[in-house]
Amino acid sequence: MTESAEKMSRRDQILQSLAHMLETDPGARITTAKLASAVGVSEAALYRHFPSKAKMFEGLIAFIEETLFSRITLILKDINSASERCEKTMGLILGFAEKNPGMCRLLSGDALAGETDRLRQRIHQVFDRIELQFKQILREAEVREGLLPQRSAAASANLLTAVLEGRIRQYVRTEFATKPTEYWDQQWAGLKLILLQKKSLAMP
C-alpha cells in the first residue's frame, strides 16, 4: 500500500469510527480521546490526519453531500417526471438517513451542541442545496410537463425539505426507533396530492 493510500485508509477509518460513536452513544459528547481510543491510535496520530475535531465533522458532512448529490444527479438523468424525481429524491435521502443513524445526529444538529458555528452553517448549506434542487425540479415541471403547483415552487420545495428534516429529527429524538421511511409510501401519496396537479384544459 502506498503512503497516500495508507493515509486515506486511516482517514476513512477515523471517519467511520466517528460515525459509529455518534450512532452508539446518542447524546454523548464526542472527545478526541475517546475517538483515538476507538480507532486504536494516539490523539497525536489523530491530529496528523485531521487538525481538529471540527475538521473530522466536516469530513463526515462532505461524505454526506457527495453521496446524496451524486445519486440525485443520477435520478435527474434517468427520470423525467417531476413527481417521480421528487419521490425518488425524498426516498433516497430518507433511506440514506435510516442506514446512517450516526450521521443523522449531524444532520439534525444534535451532535453539534458546543461545536463551532461553521459546522452548523455547513448543515444549513446541505439542506439549502436540497431545497434548491426541489425548487428547480418543480419549476421545470411547470413548463415541461404542464404541471400547476397548488402553491409556488419555492413553497413546495420548502415543504418537502421540512418533511425531510422532521423525519430525520424524529429518528434522532426517538434514539433511532422511529425509522425515517416508516409510513413513507402513505405519506408521499398525500404529499403528492397536495403539491402537484395537472393543468386543466380551458372550457370553450
Side-chain angles (χ1 to χ4, degrees):
M1 181 182 292
T2 66
E3 182 178 347
S4 61
E6 185 176 357
K7 182 178 181 181
M8 182 60 66
S9 177
R10 179 66 75 185
R11 282 175 61 89
D12 288 346
Q13 186 181 357
I14 291 168
L15 293 180
Q16 287 171 6
S17 295
L18 176 57
H20 181 69
M21 290 178 72
L22 288 169
E23 176 181 350
T24 55
D25 260 337
R29 182 173 173 80
I30 305 296
T31 66
T32 52
K34 289 181 181 178
L35 182 57
S37 176
V39 178
V41 298
S42 66
E43 285 188 73
L46 208 65
Y47 286 124
R48 282 200 292 272
H49 297 278
F50 293 97
S52 67
K53 186 172 65 171
K55 288 295 183 183
M56 297 174 203
F57 280 131
E58 284 188 23
L60 279 183
I61 296 170
F63 171 80
I64 292 169
E65 284 186 307
E66 181 180 350
T67 301
L68 291 180
F69 289 103
S70 63
R71 295 178 185 178
I72 289 172
T73 297
L74 293 177
I75 289 172
L76 300 182
K77 179 180 178 182
D78 295 339
I79 297 171
N80 291 323
S81 161
S83 175
E84 194 175 354
R85 281 178 166 184
C86 289
E87 178 183 9
K88 295 295 185 185
T89 299
M90 294 285 285
L92 164 69
I93 296 169
L94 293 174
F96 174 86
E98 188 167 309
K99 292 175 182 176
N100 297 279
M103 294 184 192
C104 288
R105 289 194 58 211
L106 280 180
L107 289 170
S108 69
D110 177 72
L112 298 180
E115 300 296 339
T116 66
D117 185 59
R118 173 177 169 77
L119 289 172
R120 288 186 290 277
Q121 290 302 317
R122 288 283 283 111
I123 294 299
H124 294 332
Q125 289 169 13
V126 173
F127 284 106
D128 285 347
R129 191 175 170 189
I130 290 170
E131 186 170 339
L132 179 61
Q133 188 67 77
F134 284 132
K135 192 185 302 183
Q136 291 173 340
I137 290 171
L138 294 167
R139 282 179 174 166
E140 285 179 19
E142 294 177 27
V143 176
R144 190 178 65 245
E145 299 177 49
L147 288 173
L148 179 63
Q150 297 188 35
R151 57 194 48 77
S152 70
S156 295
N158 180 260
L159 175 59
L160 289 174
T161 307
V163 169
L164 288 174
E165 290 193 71
R167 295 311 305 264
I168 291 170
R169 286 182 182 276
Q170 184 180 59
Y171 192 35
V172 173
R173 176 179 58 78
T174 61
E175 296 189 359
F176 315 127
T178 302
K179 305 298 184 185
T181 59
E182 189 172 354
Y183 308 122
W184 176 240
D185 289 344
Q186 298 172 56
Q187 291 170 342
W188 173 250
L191 276 173
K192 183 178 176 180
L193 288 176
I194 293 170
L195 293 175
L196 298 169
Q197 64 182 7
K198 285 285 186 182
K199 285 182 180 178
S200 58
L201 296 176
M203 297 298 290

